[in-house]
Each structure stands twice: as C-alpha cells, then as structure tokens.
Amino acid sequence: MTLKVLWKKIVNKMGYLLYPLYDLFHVETAIPKPSMRIYIGGGSYVAIGLEFMNYFINIGGLKSNHKVLDMGCGIGRMALPLTGYLSKEGEYFGFDIVPKGIEWCKKNINSKFPNFHFELLDIFNKFYNPKGKLSGASFAFPYPDNFFDFAYATSLFTHLMPDDAVNYLREAHRVLKPGGVLFSTWLLFEDKNKVPSKFKMTTEVECFGYKCLIKDFRKPEALIAFDHRFISDYSDKLNLQIRKVYSGSWDGKKEYLSCQDVVIFSKK
Ligand SMILES: C[S@@+](CC[C@H](N)C(=O)[O-])C[C@H]1O[C@@H](n2cnc3c(N)ncnc32)[C@H](O)[C@@H]1O
C-alpha cells in the first residue's frame, strides 16, 4: 500500500474534517475539491445535492425519464446525485458561466454519463464573470422551445440582477413544455426591515418598480434579495403559474423547507 493510498483511506474515514488536506496532497476525489467549489458557497456538497434531489422528486414531480435543465449548474452539486436517478431515457443539460465548474463536470460527469451535457456560456455577472461578453438580460438559452419537462435554478436568482432574472424566467418558460416545472430558490422579503442584519443587505435597488436588497453595490450579484411581490406579479406577466412557495430559514422563519425560499412554477 503506497503512502498516498494509506493517506486517502485515513482521510476518507475522517470525512470532511480533513478535506483541506486533499488539496495539500493532491488526492483525487469523487467530488470536486474544496478549493474548486469555493464559489458555490459553503455546506456539504453531497448533503445539499441529495437534499435538493429529494425536493425535485418529491415536491417538484421530477421523473427519471425527464429532460432536465439546470440553470447555473455550478460545479455539478445537483447534477451528480441525478446521475443515479435519471434513466437512459432521461437527459440532463446544465449551463454556467464559470469555466472551472463546467470543465470539472464535463471531465467527471459527462465522460461517464453521456446523457448529461454541460455548457459554458460567457454571460456577464459582475461577481462570477466580470469579463463576460453576453448580457443575461437578453441572452437566449441555447435550447429549443418546449423542450424540457423540468428546469431548476438553485441559488442562481440570488445572484442575478433583476433584468437578468426576468429574462431567465422568460427563457425558462420558453424552453419548458406546457405544464413543465421550474423549481427555483430565492431570497424573498415581505418587509425589508425584517431582513436579518447579519446579511448586511442594506442597499436598496429599484427593480421594475419593486425593491431589491443587495449587500455590496460594487458587486451587487454577490447576494440579492427580491420583494416577494416581484415573483407573483412577474409570474403572471410571463405566463408562469406559481404552484407552491416554501419559506426558507434564511430570514429567521420558524417553519421552513430549506435555507433559501423555494418557488415552484409551472408553465401555463
Ligand atoms: C451559489 S452558485 C450555485 C451553483 C449551483 N446551482 C448549485 O446549487 O450548486 C451560483 C451559480 O450561478 C452561476 N451564475 C451566475 N450568473 C449566472 C448567469 N447569468 N447564468 C448562468 N449561471 C450563472 C455562477 O457561476 C454559480 O455557479
């Protein structure tokens, strides 16, 4: 047994506590190394992926033979567990704007699961892709109309400017089949004064007549919360029906599903 194999066994037993040492010793892992996934936020990569797959299936109605769209797929946190759920008849398409995540997904997921496709798009986001050439507010998703049964966006609308968010909702509607589902997460507030101060979201920006709260005006996409009325009004305008809203724990609610608020739409 080489030292590297021995080390890997020890680290596997110790779990997440020793994760930073993976990087130090260049040990290959079945999931992206911590330094690779720093941009998608904290928490357990595996547990959060499984948590959301459970929601997609049990409250979103995802079926194993569905055509699935993952908007802002990051570094495969949601895609990886789906490789064990989608059948050969099912198909997955994920896109994102950060090269290293898409490269990892192509190398580690698409190579083993050819029905999982990943695409890098050069869309501007001041926080994630400040040199991006395309505008999220006018960008057309590279998929045909009425193509997907199920689309989702986890922790994406919390990083999109309002005009990008509206376009992404419009595009999600276009590429979904009639009756298709969009599962999305947001930070939605009813009263801006009740947003917990720990988020430091003190700057207000106007969003089509509604208020948005941002943390950092130099990089507003770092974290954005929307007035909840924005969702209900825009879903009507965009022909999306709100099927269900589940509150998140982020703003201190006692009853919640996950950390962020979950909004499940379907295409009218
Ligand atoms: C917090 S991460 C969440 C990643 C993934 N959805 C997950 O839950 O693991 C936010 C992701 O949104 C992506 N993103 C930001 N703006 C985007 C845009 N305009 N189009 C597509 N992806 C975008 C970022 O690159 C990043 O991967």
Side-chain angles (χ1 to χ4, degrees), residues 39-41 45 48 70-78 95-98 121 123-125 128 136 152-156 158-160 164 168 260:
Y39 71 100
I40 63 162
Y45 178 92
I48 294 173
D70 185 348
M71 300 152 57
C73 62
I75 193 158
R77 184 166 58 168
M78 306 297 156
F95 70 85
D96 202 281
I97 61 176
V98 174
L121 301 170
I123 299 168
F124 174 83
N125 179 309
Y128 286 101
Y152 63 86
T154 51
S155 219
L156 170 70
T158 45
H159 304 285
L160 292 187
D164 292 16
Y168 273 47
Q260 296 182 6

PDB file of all heavy atoms in Angstrom, residues 39-41 45 48 70-78 95-98 121 123-125 128 136 152-156 158-160 164 168 260, ligand 1:
ATOM      1  N   TYR A  39     -16.648  28.773  -4.888  1.00  0.00           N
ATOM      2  CA  TYR A  39     -17.525  29.817  -5.427  1.00  0.00           C
ATOM      3  C   TYR A  39     -19.007  29.457  -5.365  1.00  0.00           C
ATOM      4  O   TYR A  39     -19.862  30.287  -5.659  1.00  0.00           O
ATOM      5  CB  TYR A  39     -17.113  30.174  -6.866  1.00  0.00           C
ATOM      6  CG  TYR A  39     -17.407  29.111  -7.893  1.00  0.00           C
ATOM      7  CD1 TYR A  39     -18.522  29.190  -8.713  1.00  0.00           C
ATOM      8  CD2 TYR A  39     -16.563  28.014  -8.053  1.00  0.00           C
ATOM      9  CE1 TYR A  39     -18.799  28.215  -9.645  1.00  0.00           C
ATOM     10  CE2 TYR A  39     -16.824  27.037  -8.979  1.00  0.00           C
ATOM     11  CZ  TYR A  39     -17.941  27.142  -9.776  1.00  0.00           C
ATOM     12  OH  TYR A  39     -18.211  26.171 -10.704  1.00  0.00           O
ATOM     13  N   ILE A  40     -19.318  28.203  -5.006  1.00  0.00           N
ATOM     14  CA  ILE A  40     -20.757  27.878  -4.914  1.00  0.00           C
ATOM     15  C   ILE A  40     -21.276  27.989  -3.483  1.00  0.00           C
ATOM     16  O   ILE A  40     -22.441  27.711  -3.214  1.00  0.00           O
ATOM     17  CB  ILE A  40     -21.099  26.483  -5.494  1.00  0.00           C
ATOM     18  CG1 ILE A  40     -20.402  25.367  -4.713  1.00  0.00           C
ATOM     19  CG2 ILE A  40     -20.804  26.413  -6.979  1.00  0.00           C
ATOM     20  CD1 ILE A  40     -21.014  24.003  -4.948  1.00  0.00           C
ATOM     21  N   GLY A  41     -20.404  28.357  -2.547  1.00  0.00           N
ATOM     22  CA  GLY A  41     -20.865  28.565  -1.170  1.00  0.00           C
ATOM     23  C   GLY A  41     -20.508  27.396  -0.272  1.00  0.00           C
ATOM     24  O   GLY A  41     -19.969  26.377  -0.731  1.00  0.00           O
ATOM     25  N   TYR A  45     -21.319  19.595   0.145  1.00  0.00           N
ATOM     26  CA  TYR A  45     -21.595  19.427  -1.293  1.00  0.00           C
ATOM     27  C   TYR A  45     -22.535  18.233  -1.501  1.00  0.00           C
ATOM     28  O   TYR A  45     -23.527  18.316  -2.230  1.00  0.00           O
ATOM     29  CB  TYR A  45     -20.263  19.201  -1.990  1.00  0.00           C
ATOM     30  CG  TYR A  45     -20.305  18.966  -3.482  1.00  0.00           C
ATOM     31  CD1 TYR A  45     -20.184  20.034  -4.367  1.00  0.00           C
ATOM     32  CD2 TYR A  45     -20.420  17.687  -3.997  1.00  0.00           C
ATOM     33  CE1 TYR A  45     -20.183  19.820  -5.739  1.00  0.00           C
ATOM     34  CE2 TYR A  45     -20.428  17.462  -5.359  1.00  0.00           C
ATOM     35  CZ  TYR A  45     -20.306  18.538  -6.228  1.00  0.00           C
ATOM     36  OH  TYR A  45     -20.306  18.311  -7.584  1.00  0.00           O
ATOM     37  N   ILE A  48     -26.195  18.656   0.398  1.00  0.00           N
ATOM     38  CA  ILE A  48     -27.085  19.648  -0.234  1.00  0.00           C
ATOM     39  C   ILE A  48     -27.598  19.106  -1.581  1.00  0.00           C
ATOM     40  O   ILE A  48     -28.765  19.266  -1.935  1.00  0.00           O
ATOM     41  CB  ILE A  48     -26.382  21.016  -0.382  1.00  0.00           C
ATOM     42  CG1 ILE A  48     -26.101  21.596   1.008  1.00  0.00           C
ATOM     43  CG2 ILE A  48     -27.230  21.992  -1.194  1.00  0.00           C
ATOM     44  CD1 ILE A  48     -25.274  22.866   1.042  1.00  0.00           C
ATOM     45  N   ASP A  70     -30.621  22.511 -15.832  1.00  0.00           N
ATOM     46  CA  ASP A  70     -30.019  23.041 -14.601  1.00  0.00           C
ATOM     47  C   ASP A  70     -29.405  24.404 -14.948  1.00  0.00           C
ATOM     48  O   ASP A  70     -28.347  24.487 -15.564  1.00  0.00           O
ATOM     49  CB  ASP A  70     -28.948  22.041 -14.123  1.00  0.00           C
ATOM     50  CG  ASP A  70     -28.321  22.417 -12.794  1.00  0.00           C
ATOM     51  OD1 ASP A  70     -28.532  23.544 -12.323  1.00  0.00           O
ATOM     52  OD2 ASP A  70     -27.598  21.560 -12.241  1.00  0.00           O
ATOM     53  N   MET A  71     -30.099  25.476 -14.562  1.00  0.00           N
ATOM     54  CA  MET A  71     -29.650  26.832 -14.892  1.00  0.00           C
ATOM     55  C   MET A  71     -28.645  27.296 -13.834  1.00  0.00           C
ATOM     56  O   MET A  71     -28.991  27.374 -12.663  1.00  0.00           O
ATOM     57  CB  MET A  71     -30.866  27.787 -14.882  1.00  0.00           C
ATOM     58  CG  MET A  71     -31.926  27.404 -15.878  1.00  0.00           C
ATOM     59  SD  MET A  71     -33.623  27.922 -15.413  1.00  0.00           S
ATOM     60  CE  MET A  71     -33.441  29.673 -15.202  1.00  0.00           C
ATOM     61  N   GLY A  72     -27.415  27.594 -14.242  1.00  0.00           N
ATOM     62  CA  GLY A  72     -26.373  27.952 -13.274  1.00  0.00           C
ATOM     63  C   GLY A  72     -25.954  26.720 -12.492  1.00  0.00           C
ATOM     64  O   GLY A  72     -26.034  26.696 -11.259  1.00  0.00           O
ATOM     65  N   CYS A  73     -25.479  25.707 -13.236  1.00  0.00           N
ATOM     66  CA  CYS A  73     -25.244  24.376 -12.631  1.00  0.00           C
ATOM     67  C   CYS A  73     -24.003  24.325 -11.759  1.00  0.00           C
ATOM     68  O   CYS A  73     -23.775  23.318 -11.073  1.00  0.00           O
ATOM     69  CB  CYS A  73     -25.168  23.306 -13.720  1.00  0.00           C
ATOM     70  SG  CYS A  73     -23.805  23.580 -14.881  1.00  0.00           S
ATOM     71  N   GLY A  74     -23.182  25.403 -11.794  1.00  0.00           N
ATOM     72  CA  GLY A  74     -22.011  25.450 -10.909  1.00  0.00           C
ATOM     73  C   GLY A  74     -21.058  24.312 -11.191  1.00  0.00           C
ATOM     74  O   GLY A  74     -20.677  24.049 -12.333  1.00  0.00           O
ATOM     75  N   ILE A  75     -20.712  23.588 -10.151  1.00  0.00           N
ATOM     76  CA  ILE A  75     -19.751  22.501 -10.285  1.00  0.00           C
ATOM     77  C   ILE A  75     -20.420  21.153  -9.983  1.00  0.00           C
ATOM     78  O   ILE A  75     -19.854  20.274  -9.328  1.00  0.00           O
ATOM     79  CB  ILE A  75     -18.471  22.804  -9.461  1.00  0.00           C
ATOM     80  CG1 ILE A  75     -17.333  21.872  -9.820  1.00  0.00           C
ATOM     81  CG2 ILE A  75     -18.747  22.884  -7.974  1.00  0.00           C
ATOM     82  CD1 ILE A  75     -15.945  22.395  -9.474  1.00  0.00           C
ATOM     83  N   GLY A  76     -21.653  21.018 -10.481  1.00  0.00           N
ATOM     84  CA  GLY A  76     -22.326  19.713 -10.506  1.00  0.00           C
ATOM     85  C   GLY A  76     -22.921  19.236  -9.189  1.00  0.00           C
ATOM     86  O   GLY A  76     -23.244  18.061  -9.062  1.00  0.00           O
ATOM     87  N   ARG A  77     -23.141  20.158  -8.241  1.00  0.00           N
ATOM     88  CA  ARG A  77     -23.659  19.733  -6.935  1.00  0.00           C
ATOM     89  C   ARG A  77     -25.021  19.056  -7.063  1.00  0.00           C
ATOM     90  O   ARG A  77     -25.301  18.073  -6.371  1.00  0.00           O
ATOM     91  CB  ARG A  77     -23.744  20.964  -6.026  1.00  0.00           C
ATOM     92  CG  ARG A  77     -24.170  20.684  -4.626  1.00  0.00           C
ATOM     93  CD  ARG A  77     -23.904  21.842  -3.708  1.00  0.00           C
ATOM     94  NE  ARG A  77     -24.550  23.089  -4.107  1.00  0.00           N
ATOM     95  CZ  ARG A  77     -24.629  24.161  -3.328  1.00  0.00           C
ATOM     96  NH1 ARG A  77     -24.089  24.136  -2.122  1.00  0.00           N
ATOM     97  NH2 ARG A  77     -25.221  25.262  -3.738  1.00  0.00           N
ATOM     98  N   MET A  78     -25.855  19.560  -7.959  1.00  0.00           N
ATOM     99  CA  MET A  78     -27.183  18.959  -8.160  1.00  0.00           C
ATOM    100  C   MET A  78     -27.141  17.877  -9.237  1.00  0.00           C
ATOM    101  O   MET A  78     -27.934  16.940  -9.215  1.00  0.00           O
ATOM    102  CB  MET A  78     -28.200  20.038  -8.589  1.00  0.00           C
ATOM    103  CG  MET A  78     -28.281  21.212  -7.651  1.00  0.00           C
ATOM    104  SD  MET A  78     -28.865  20.707  -6.027  1.00  0.00           S
ATOM    105  CE  MET A  78     -28.186  22.013  -5.017  1.00  0.00           C
ATOM    106  N   PHE A  95     -25.972  24.563 -17.633  1.00  0.00           N
ATOM    107  CA  PHE A  95     -25.083  25.614 -18.137  1.00  0.00           C
ATOM    108  C   PHE A  95     -24.649  26.520 -17.003  1.00  0.00           C
ATOM    109  O   PHE A  95     -25.340  26.654 -15.974  1.00  0.00           O
ATOM    110  CB  PHE A  95     -25.727  26.414 -19.286  1.00  0.00           C
ATOM    111  CG  PHE A  95     -26.872  27.314 -18.893  1.00  0.00           C
ATOM    112  CD1 PHE A  95     -26.651  28.596 -18.411  1.00  0.00           C
ATOM    113  CD2 PHE A  95     -28.185  26.874 -19.020  1.00  0.00           C
ATOM    114  CE1 PHE A  95     -27.702  29.436 -18.065  1.00  0.00           C
ATOM    115  CE2 PHE A  95     -29.255  27.700 -18.674  1.00  0.00           C
ATOM    116  CZ  PHE A  95     -29.010  28.985 -18.193  1.00  0.00           C
ATOM    117  N   ASP A  96     -23.488  27.122 -17.187  1.00  0.00           N
ATOM    118  CA  ASP A  96     -22.963  28.042 -16.180  1.00  0.00           C
ATOM    119  C   ASP A  96     -21.955  28.961 -16.866  1.00  0.00           C
ATOM    120  O   ASP A  96     -21.653  28.802 -18.058  1.00  0.00           O
ATOM    121  CB  ASP A  96     -22.302  27.283 -15.020  1.00  0.00           C
ATOM    122  CG  ASP A  96     -22.238  28.115 -13.748  1.00  0.00           C
ATOM    123  OD1 ASP A  96     -21.346  28.984 -13.637  1.00  0.00           O
ATOM    124  OD2 ASP A  96     -23.100  27.933 -12.856  1.00  0.00           O
ATOM    125  N   ILE A  97     -21.450  29.918 -16.087  1.00  0.00           N
ATOM    126  CA  ILE A  97     -20.570  30.937 -16.660  1.00  0.00           C
ATOM    127  C   ILE A  97     -19.152  30.865 -16.083  1.00  0.00           C
ATOM    128  O   ILE A  97     -18.317  31.684 -16.431  1.00  0.00           O
ATOM    129  CB  ILE A  97     -21.179  32.339 -16.450  1.00  0.00           C
ATOM    130  CG1 ILE A  97     -21.335  32.667 -14.954  1.00  0.00           C
ATOM    131  CG2 ILE A  97     -22.545  32.425 -17.123  1.00  0.00           C
ATOM    132  CD1 ILE A  97     -21.832  34.082 -14.687  1.00  0.00           C
ATOM    133  N   VAL A  98     -18.908  29.908 -15.175  1.00  0.00           N
ATOM    134  CA  VAL A  98     -17.569  29.779 -14.573  1.00  0.00           C
ATOM    135  C   VAL A  98     -16.868  28.557 -15.183  1.00  0.00           C
ATOM    136  O   VAL A  98     -17.339  27.416 -15.015  1.00  0.00           O
ATOM    137  CB  VAL A  98     -17.655  29.652 -13.035  1.00  0.00           C
ATOM    138  CG1 VAL A  98     -16.290  29.367 -12.433  1.00  0.00           C
ATOM    139  CG2 VAL A  98     -18.236  30.932 -12.436  1.00  0.00           C
ATOM    140  N   LEU A 121     -21.164  29.324 -20.863  1.00  0.00           N
ATOM    141  CA  LEU A 121     -21.683  30.488 -21.579  1.00  0.00           C
ATOM    142  C   LEU A 121     -21.019  31.735 -21.011  1.00  0.00           C
ATOM    143  O   LEU A 121     -20.934  31.884 -19.789  1.00  0.00           O
ATOM    144  CB  LEU A 121     -23.202  30.575 -21.398  1.00  0.00           C
ATOM    145  CG  LEU A 121     -23.992  29.362 -21.895  1.00  0.00           C
ATOM    146  CD1 LEU A 121     -25.446  29.435 -21.459  1.00  0.00           C
ATOM    147  CD2 LEU A 121     -23.908  29.258 -23.404  1.00  0.00           C
ATOM    148  N   ILE A 123     -21.597  34.750 -20.107  1.00  0.00           N
ATOM    149  CA  ILE A 123     -22.559  35.789 -19.715  1.00  0.00           C
ATOM    150  C   ILE A 123     -21.974  36.638 -18.589  1.00  0.00           C
ATOM    151  O   ILE A 123     -21.382  36.114 -17.636  1.00  0.00           O
ATOM    152  CB  ILE A 123     -23.886  35.139 -19.267  1.00  0.00           C
ATOM    153  CG1 ILE A 123     -24.468  34.353 -20.442  1.00  0.00           C
ATOM    154  CG2 ILE A 123     -24.873  36.184 -18.765  1.00  0.00           C
ATOM    155  CD1 ILE A 123     -25.605  33.454 -20.059  1.00  0.00           C
ATOM    156  N   PHE A 124     -22.178  37.942 -18.724  1.00  0.00           N
ATOM    157  CA  PHE A 124     -21.640  38.876 -17.728  1.00  0.00           C
ATOM    158  C   PHE A 124     -22.355  38.736 -16.386  1.00  0.00           C
ATOM    159  O   PHE A 124     -23.588  38.679 -16.315  1.00  0.00           O
ATOM    160  CB  PHE A 124     -21.800  40.316 -18.242  1.00  0.00           C
ATOM    161  CG  PHE A 124     -21.414  41.353 -17.233  1.00  0.00           C
ATOM    162  CD1 PHE A 124     -20.084  41.713 -17.061  1.00  0.00           C
ATOM    163  CD2 PHE A 124     -22.384  41.964 -16.426  1.00  0.00           C
ATOM    164  CE1 PHE A 124     -19.731  42.667 -16.108  1.00  0.00           C
ATOM    165  CE2 PHE A 124     -22.034  42.914 -15.475  1.00  0.00           C
ATOM    166  CZ  PHE A 124     -20.704  43.261 -15.318  1.00  0.00           C
ATOM    167  N   ASN A 125     -21.534  38.664 -15.345  1.00  0.00           N
ATOM    168  CA  ASN A 125     -22.031  38.748 -13.963  1.00  0.00           C
ATOM    169  C   ASN A 125     -20.885  39.376 -13.197  1.00  0.00           C
ATOM    170  O   ASN A 125     -19.768  38.844 -13.204  1.00  0.00           O
ATOM    171  CB  ASN A 125     -22.367  37.336 -13.443  1.00  0.00           C
ATOM    172  CG  ASN A 125     -22.868  37.340 -12.007  1.00  0.00           C
ATOM    173  OD1 ASN A 125     -22.248  37.913 -11.119  1.00  0.00           O
ATOM    174  ND2 ASN A 125     -23.995  36.689 -11.767  1.00  0.00           N
ATOM    175  N   TYR A 128     -19.398  36.794 -10.684  1.00  0.00           N
ATOM    176  CA  TYR A 128     -18.901  35.485 -11.139  1.00  0.00           C
ATOM    177  C   TYR A 128     -18.119  35.535 -12.449  1.00  0.00           C
ATOM    178  O   TYR A 128     -17.276  34.686 -12.693  1.00  0.00           O
ATOM    179  CB  TYR A 128     -20.072  34.510 -11.320  1.00  0.00           C
ATOM    180  CG  TYR A 128     -20.651  34.016 -10.017  1.00  0.00           C
ATOM    181  CD1 TYR A 128     -21.827  34.552  -9.503  1.00  0.00           C
ATOM    182  CD2 TYR A 128     -20.022  33.021  -9.294  1.00  0.00           C
ATOM    183  CE1 TYR A 128     -22.359  34.093  -8.306  1.00  0.00           C
ATOM    184  CE2 TYR A 128     -20.546  32.558  -8.104  1.00  0.00           C
ATOM    185  CZ  TYR A 128     -21.708  33.092  -7.616  1.00  0.00           C
ATOM    186  OH  TYR A 128     -22.222  32.636  -6.431  1.00  0.00           O
ATOM    187  N   GLY A 136     -27.034  38.874 -19.663  1.00  0.00           N
ATOM    188  CA  GLY A 136     -28.046  37.950 -19.130  1.00  0.00           C
ATOM    189  C   GLY A 136     -29.456  38.471 -19.343  1.00  0.00           C
ATOM    190  O   GLY A 136     -30.417  37.711 -19.315  1.00  0.00           O
ATOM    191  N   TYR A 152     -34.545  23.682 -13.199  1.00  0.00           N
ATOM    192  CA  TYR A 152     -34.342  24.192 -11.840  1.00  0.00           C
ATOM    193  C   TYR A 152     -33.193  25.195 -11.803  1.00  0.00           C
ATOM    194  O   TYR A 152     -32.320  25.226 -12.682  1.00  0.00           O
ATOM    195  CB  TYR A 152     -34.136  23.064 -10.828  1.00  0.00           C
ATOM    196  CG  TYR A 152     -32.919  22.195 -11.030  1.00  0.00           C
ATOM    197  CD1 TYR A 152     -31.675  22.564 -10.512  1.00  0.00           C
ATOM    198  CD2 TYR A 152     -33.011  20.995 -11.712  1.00  0.00           C
ATOM    199  CE1 TYR A 152     -30.575  21.751 -10.678  1.00  0.00           C
ATOM    200  CE2 TYR A 152     -31.909  20.176 -11.885  1.00  0.00           C
ATOM    201  CZ  TYR A 152     -30.694  20.564 -11.368  1.00  0.00           C
ATOM    202  OH  TYR A 152     -29.589  19.766 -11.552  1.00  0.00           O
ATOM    203  N   ALA A 153     -33.248  26.048 -10.786  1.00  0.00           N
ATOM    204  CA  ALA A 153     -32.217  27.059 -10.563  1.00  0.00           C
ATOM    205  C   ALA A 153     -32.030  27.145  -9.055  1.00  0.00           C
ATOM    206  O   ALA A 153     -32.870  27.717  -8.356  1.00  0.00           O
ATOM    207  CB  ALA A 153     -32.661  28.398 -11.128  1.00  0.00           C
ATOM    208  N   THR A 154     -30.970  26.505  -8.555  1.00  0.00           N
ATOM    209  CA  THR A 154     -30.720  26.552  -7.114  1.00  0.00           C
ATOM    210  C   THR A 154     -29.636  27.584  -6.844  1.00  0.00           C
ATOM    211  O   THR A 154     -28.555  27.518  -7.419  1.00  0.00           O
ATOM    212  CB  THR A 154     -30.267  25.167  -6.586  1.00  0.00           C
ATOM    213  OG1 THR A 154     -29.202  24.685  -7.379  1.00  0.00           O
ATOM    214  CG2 THR A 154     -31.417  24.169  -6.612  1.00  0.00           C
ATOM    215  N   SER A 155     -29.966  28.543  -6.005  1.00  0.00           N
ATOM    216  CA  SER A 155     -29.008  29.584  -5.646  1.00  0.00           C
ATOM    217  C   SER A 155     -28.497  30.331  -6.871  1.00  0.00           C
ATOM    218  O   SER A 155     -27.343  30.714  -6.929  1.00  0.00           O
ATOM    219  CB  SER A 155     -27.833  28.924  -4.912  1.00  0.00           C
ATOM    220  OG  SER A 155     -27.396  29.718  -3.881  1.00  0.00           O
ATOM    221  N   LEU A 156     -29.361  30.533  -7.848  1.00  0.00           N
ATOM    222  CA  LEU A 156     -28.995  31.322  -9.030  1.00  0.00           C
ATOM    223  C   LEU A 156     -29.663  32.698  -8.959  1.00  0.00           C
ATOM    224  O   LEU A 156     -28.999  33.722  -9.135  1.00  0.00           O
ATOM    225  CB  LEU A 156     -29.419  30.596 -10.317  1.00  0.00           C
ATOM    226  CG  LEU A 156     -29.289  31.445 -11.591  1.00  0.00           C
ATOM    227  CD1 LEU A 156     -27.820  31.679 -11.934  1.00  0.00           C
ATOM    228  CD2 LEU A 156     -29.996  30.796 -12.774  1.00  0.00           C
ATOM    229  N   THR A 158     -30.447  34.325  -6.585  1.00  0.00           N
ATOM    230  CA  THR A 158     -29.852  35.120  -5.501  1.00  0.00           C
ATOM    231  C   THR A 158     -28.588  35.839  -5.989  1.00  0.00           C
ATOM    232  O   THR A 158     -27.953  36.566  -5.234  1.00  0.00           O
ATOM    233  CB  THR A 158     -29.486  34.190  -4.333  1.00  0.00           C
ATOM    234  OG1 THR A 158     -28.833  33.026  -4.870  1.00  0.00           O
ATOM    235  CG2 THR A 158     -30.706  33.755  -3.570  1.00  0.00           C
ATOM    236  N   HIS A 159     -28.232  35.588  -7.276  1.00  0.00           N
ATOM    237  CA  HIS A 159     -27.021  36.200  -7.839  1.00  0.00           C
ATOM    238  C   HIS A 159     -27.276  36.829  -9.206  1.00  0.00           C
ATOM    239  O   HIS A 159     -26.348  37.016  -9.984  1.00  0.00           O
ATOM    240  CB  HIS A 159     -25.907  35.149  -7.962  1.00  0.00           C
ATOM    241  CG  HIS A 159     -25.593  34.486  -6.665  1.00  0.00           C
ATOM    242  ND1 HIS A 159     -24.887  35.110  -5.665  1.00  0.00           N
ATOM    243  CD2 HIS A 159     -25.915  33.265  -6.188  1.00  0.00           C
ATOM    244  CE1 HIS A 159     -24.782  34.295  -4.627  1.00  0.00           C
ATOM    245  NE2 HIS A 159     -25.397  33.169  -4.914  1.00  0.00           N
ATOM    246  N   LEU A 160     -28.548  37.097  -9.506  1.00  0.00           N
ATOM    247  CA  LEU A 160     -28.872  37.723 -10.799  1.00  0.00           C
ATOM    248  C   LEU A 160     -29.483  39.090 -10.566  1.00  0.00           C
ATOM    249  O   LEU A 160     -30.348  39.252  -9.699  1.00  0.00           O
ATOM    250  CB  LEU A 160     -29.888  36.880 -11.583  1.00  0.00           C
ATOM    251  CG  LEU A 160     -29.445  35.516 -12.122  1.00  0.00           C
ATOM    252  CD1 LEU A 160     -30.541  34.932 -13.013  1.00  0.00           C
ATOM    253  CD2 LEU A 160     -28.133  35.579 -12.873  1.00  0.00           C
ATOM    254  N   ASP A 164     -31.818  40.501 -15.527  1.00  0.00           N
ATOM    255  CA  ASP A 164     -31.363  39.152 -15.899  1.00  0.00           C
ATOM    256  C   ASP A 164     -32.372  38.115 -15.387  1.00  0.00           C
ATOM    257  O   ASP A 164     -32.721  37.167 -16.087  1.00  0.00           O
ATOM    258  CB  ASP A 164     -29.998  38.834 -15.281  1.00  0.00           C
ATOM    259  CG  ASP A 164     -28.870  39.678 -15.857  1.00  0.00           C
ATOM    260  OD1 ASP A 164     -29.162  40.699 -16.499  1.00  0.00           O
ATOM    261  OD2 ASP A 164     -27.701  39.312 -15.660  1.00  0.00           O
ATOM    262  N   TYR A 168     -34.346  35.312 -17.466  1.00  0.00           N
ATOM    263  CA  TYR A 168     -34.170  33.876 -17.188  1.00  0.00           C
ATOM    264  C   TYR A 168     -35.516  33.198 -16.928  1.00  0.00           C
ATOM    265  O   TYR A 168     -35.728  32.062 -17.323  1.00  0.00           O
ATOM    266  CB  TYR A 168     -33.201  33.675 -16.012  1.00  0.00           C
ATOM    267  CG  TYR A 168     -31.753  33.635 -16.473  1.00  0.00           C
ATOM    268  CD1 TYR A 168     -31.266  34.587 -17.356  1.00  0.00           C
ATOM    269  CD2 TYR A 168     -30.888  32.638 -16.060  1.00  0.00           C
ATOM    270  CE1 TYR A 168     -29.959  34.550 -17.811  1.00  0.00           C
ATOM    271  CE2 TYR A 168     -29.571  32.588 -16.508  1.00  0.00           C
ATOM    272  CZ  TYR A 168     -29.110  33.552 -17.377  1.00  0.00           C
ATOM    273  OH  TYR A 168     -27.817  33.509 -17.831  1.00  0.00           O
ATOM    274  N   GLN A 260     -32.877  28.775   1.624  1.00  0.00           N
ATOM    275  CA  GLN A 260     -33.486  29.815   0.793  1.00  0.00           C
ATOM    276  C   GLN A 260     -34.973  29.510   0.600  1.00  0.00           C
ATOM    277  O   GLN A 260     -35.424  28.386   0.830  1.00  0.00           O
ATOM    278  CB  GLN A 260     -32.787  29.867  -0.574  1.00  0.00           C
ATOM    279  CG  GLN A 260     -31.320  30.277  -0.456  1.00  0.00           C
ATOM    280  CD  GLN A 260     -30.610  30.376  -1.803  1.00  0.00           C
ATOM    281  OE1 GLN A 260     -31.201  30.244  -2.855  1.00  0.00           O
ATOM    282  NE2 GLN A 260     -29.301  30.611  -1.751  1.00  0.00           N
TER     283      GLN A 260
HETATM  284  C1  LIG B   1     -24.188  29.827  -5.493  1.00  0.00           C
HETATM  285  S1  LIG B   1     -23.748  29.135  -7.006  1.00  0.00           S
HETATM  286  C2  LIG B   1     -24.921  27.795  -7.165  1.00  0.00           C
HETATM  287  C3  LIG B   1     -24.460  26.737  -8.135  1.00  0.00           C
HETATM  288  C4  LIG B   1     -25.415  25.559  -8.314  1.00  0.00           C
HETATM  289  N1  LIG B   1     -26.710  25.962  -8.783  1.00  0.00           N
HETATM  290  C5  LIG B   1     -25.549  24.806  -7.014  1.00  0.00           C
HETATM  291  O1  LIG B   1     -26.605  24.909  -6.362  1.00  0.00           O
HETATM  292  O2  LIG B   1     -24.585  24.130  -6.644  1.00  0.00           O
HETATM  293  C6  LIG B   1     -24.349  30.309  -8.202  1.00  0.00           C
HETATM  294  C7  LIG B   1     -24.026  29.885  -9.619  1.00  0.00           C
HETATM  295  O3  LIG B   1     -24.697  30.729 -10.544  1.00  0.00           O
HETATM  296  C8  LIG B   1     -23.844  30.904 -11.647  1.00  0.00           C
HETATM  297  N2  LIG B   1     -24.294  32.069 -12.401  1.00  0.00           N
HETATM  298  C9  LIG B   1     -24.244  33.368 -12.033  1.00  0.00           C
HETATM  299  N3  LIG B   1     -24.777  34.151 -13.000  1.00  0.00           N
HETATM  300  C10 LIG B   1     -25.183  33.311 -13.985  1.00  0.00           C
HETATM  301  C11 LIG B   1     -25.820  33.501 -15.234  1.00  0.00           C
HETATM  302  N4  LIG B   1     -26.144  34.712 -15.663  1.00  0.00           N
HETATM  303  N5  LIG B   1     -26.101  32.407 -15.976  1.00  0.00           N
HETATM  304  C12 LIG B   1     -25.774  31.170 -15.544  1.00  0.00           C
HETATM  305  N6  LIG B   1     -25.167  30.936 -14.378  1.00  0.00           N
HETATM  306  C13 LIG B   1     -24.870  31.980 -13.602  1.00  0.00           C
HETATM  307  C14 LIG B   1     -22.481  31.053 -11.015  1.00  0.00           C
HETATM  308  O4  LIG B   1     -21.451  30.882 -11.920  1.00  0.00           O
HETATM  309  C15 LIG B   1     -22.533  29.962  -9.943  1.00  0.00           C
HETATM  310  O5  LIG B   1     -22.092  28.739 -10.434  1.00  0.00           O
END
